């Protein structure tokens, strides 16, 4: 899921990334041979860019915290081979033609934050008639989702690299999305960091312009104070209405898989809240 708290542990300072060491171990036939990178050489020459938007846009408060983590050989291989076909660098320089990106005219759901991609792959497999544009800044997760998509023959997944705000504001046309999913975003628990939380009135203002009337916004979090804030902000927004007649939280829908991280949280007594709101026409 999107919770970067569950990201793999970062490599020790000065240690080479997995699969990029200058010392070569046993080589599997058909697998790419890795070599050490020279200073300034891109980590994945044919893969996602480290900072796709660069300095083209203002330096605002970010709702995410990029973390460097180990990339396995399999993830690195998927990034190198599959990124040119299924990856999207969010540079803010063009408006995306979604039918061209996916090669079809099916409904498109934007998922912001997907962690290691297991749940995204499960949802894509269970609903092949819906395209998923999954966005994250976590390189191992990007590689893992690409690997899962290839392994399971999923043609309805595209992986975005970069800031979802820039994607929404600069690269998606009005009324182009059929749904929005935000599962387990960083809760930014300290009060002074609440301004970094993604689900805010300004974000909903922007999202509403890109969502078709009737599109479903589905959020989930295991941080109860954040869940209460999400409910308050979504309820107050004139472009969204709660699908629950009682105006409260929704049971976990069958289409959202229970991940191992969520299961571990439930075992510890965490409460997971789902919110299902519909985009309405004013």
């Amino acid at each position: 899921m999107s919770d970067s708290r569950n990201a793999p542990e970062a490599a020790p300072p000065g240690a080479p990334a997995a699969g990029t060491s200058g010392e070569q171990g046993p080589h599997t036939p058909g697998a790419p041979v890795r070599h050490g990178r020279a200073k300034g050489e891109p980590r994945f020459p044919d893969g996602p860019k480290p900072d796709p938007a660069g300095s083209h846009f203002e330096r605002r408060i970010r709702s995410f915290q990029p973390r460097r983590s180990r990339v396995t050989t399999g993830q690195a291989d998927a990034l190198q081979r599959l990124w040119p076909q299924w990856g999207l660098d969010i540079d803010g320089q063009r408006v995306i033609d979604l039918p061209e990106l996916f090669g079809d005219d099916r409904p498109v759901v934007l998922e912001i934050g997907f962690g290691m991609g297991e749940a995204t792959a499960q949802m894509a497999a269970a609903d092949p008639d819906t395209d998923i544009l999954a966005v994250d800044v976590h390189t191992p997760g990007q590689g893992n989702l690409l690997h899962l998509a290839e392994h399971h023959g999923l043609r309805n997944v595209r992986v975005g690299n970069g800031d979802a705000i820039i994607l929404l504001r600069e690269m998606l046309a009005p009324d182009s999305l059929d749904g929005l999913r935000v599962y387990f975003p960083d809760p930014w628990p300290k009060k002074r960091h609440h301004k970094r939380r993604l689900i805010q009135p300004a974000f909903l203002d922007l999202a509403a312009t890109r969502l078709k009337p009737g599109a479903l916004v589905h959020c989930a979090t295991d941080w109860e104070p954040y869940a209460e804030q999400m409910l308050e902000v979504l309820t107050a927004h004139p472009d969204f209405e709660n699908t629950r007649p009682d105006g409260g939280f929704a049971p976990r829908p069958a289409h959202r898989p229970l991940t191992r991280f969520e299961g571990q949280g439930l075992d510890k007594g965490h409460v997971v809240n789902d919110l299902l709101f519909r985009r309405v026409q004013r």
Side-chain angles (χ1 to χ4, degrees):
M1 304 308 253
S2 63
D3 194 343
S4 56
R5 294 168 292 172
N6 297 321
E9 183 180 349
T20 60
S21 171
E23 182 179 346
Q24 297 298 320
H27 177 60
T28 303
V33 178
R34 307 291 177 190
H35 300 282
R37 287 184 294 128
K39 185 176 180 180
E41 182 183 348
R43 192 177 187 189
F44 304 104
D46 297 320
K49 294 182 175 65
D51 185 11
S55 59
H56 298 301
F57 300 97
E58 74 281 1
R59 294 295 176 186
R60 56 177 176 76
I61 295 172
R62 296 294 176 88
S63 61
F64 57 87
Q65 181 64 48
R67 289 175 172 85
R68 295 191 63 183
S69 305
R70 291 187 180 93
V71 177
T72 67
T73 302
Q75 293 161 1
D77 178 57
L79 287 166
Q80 279 291 100
R81 292 188 300 102
L82 301 174
W83 189 261
Q85 180 183 3
W86 292 341
L88 171 70
D89 277 311
I90 300 171
D91 57 14
Q93 299 301 300
R94 60 190 174 93
V95 175
I96 303 167
D97 185 325
L98 290 174
E100 180 181 344
L101 178 68
F102 285 94
D104 56 59
D105 199 22
R106 295 183 294 222
V108 178
V109 170
L110 173 64
E111 182 177 355
I112 299 178
F114 55 81
M116 295 305 291
E118 295 100 334
T120 305
Q122 290 181 53
M123 290 186 288
D127 186 10
D129 292 327
T130 296
D131 292 330
I132 301 176
L133 176 53
V135 175
D136 210 305
V137 294
H138 185 50
T139 310
Q142 293 166 353
N144 199 57
L145 180 52
L146 288 170
H147 168 74
L148 291 170
E150 180 183 51
H151 180 73
H152 295 291
L154 306 176
R155 297 294 181 263
N156 57 333
V157 175
R158 297 295 181 269
V159 180
N161 168 50
D163 191 337
I165 300 296
I166 293 176
L167 173 71
L168 283 164
R169 193 181 63 203
E170 309 291 343
M171 300 181 70
L172 292 176
D175 296 342
S176 58
L177 295 173
D178 295 88
L180 173 65
R181 296 168 180 166
V182 184
Y183 299 154
F184 303 96
D186 195 321
W188 296 103
K190 295 180 181 178
K191 188 173 181 179
R192 69 177 183 270
H193 291 155
H194 285 185
K195 61 183 178 291
R196 296 181 179 274
R197 289 176 172 175
L198 180 63
I199 305 301
Q200 308 270 8
F203 171 77
L204 295 178
D205 288 343
L206 174 60
T209 66
R210 302 302 185 250
L211 289 163
K212 298 175 183 176
L216 198 66
V217 175
H218 184 189
C219 302
T221 180
D222 62 344
W223 193 261
E224 290 187 81
Y226 194 10
E228 294 289 348
Q229 178 190 322
M230 288 181 178
L231 182 61
E232 179 181 346
V233 171
L234 278 159
T235 300
H237 201 286
D239 288 332
F240 299 96
E241 67 177 6
N242 200 332
T243 62
R244 293 284 297 173
D246 61 4
F249 298 110
R252 178 177 64 87
H255 68 259
R256 183 175 74 76
L258 181 70
T259 69
R260 67 176 184 274
F261 298 115
E262 184 179 355
Q264 291 168 1
L266 292 171
D267 290 342
K268 296 175 183 177
H270 296 183
V271 176
V272 176
N273 286 297
D274 284 76
L275 301 95
L276 290 166
F277 277 72
R278 184 173 290 107
R279 167 76 163 92
V280 296
Q281 187 72 54
R282 284 202 232 184

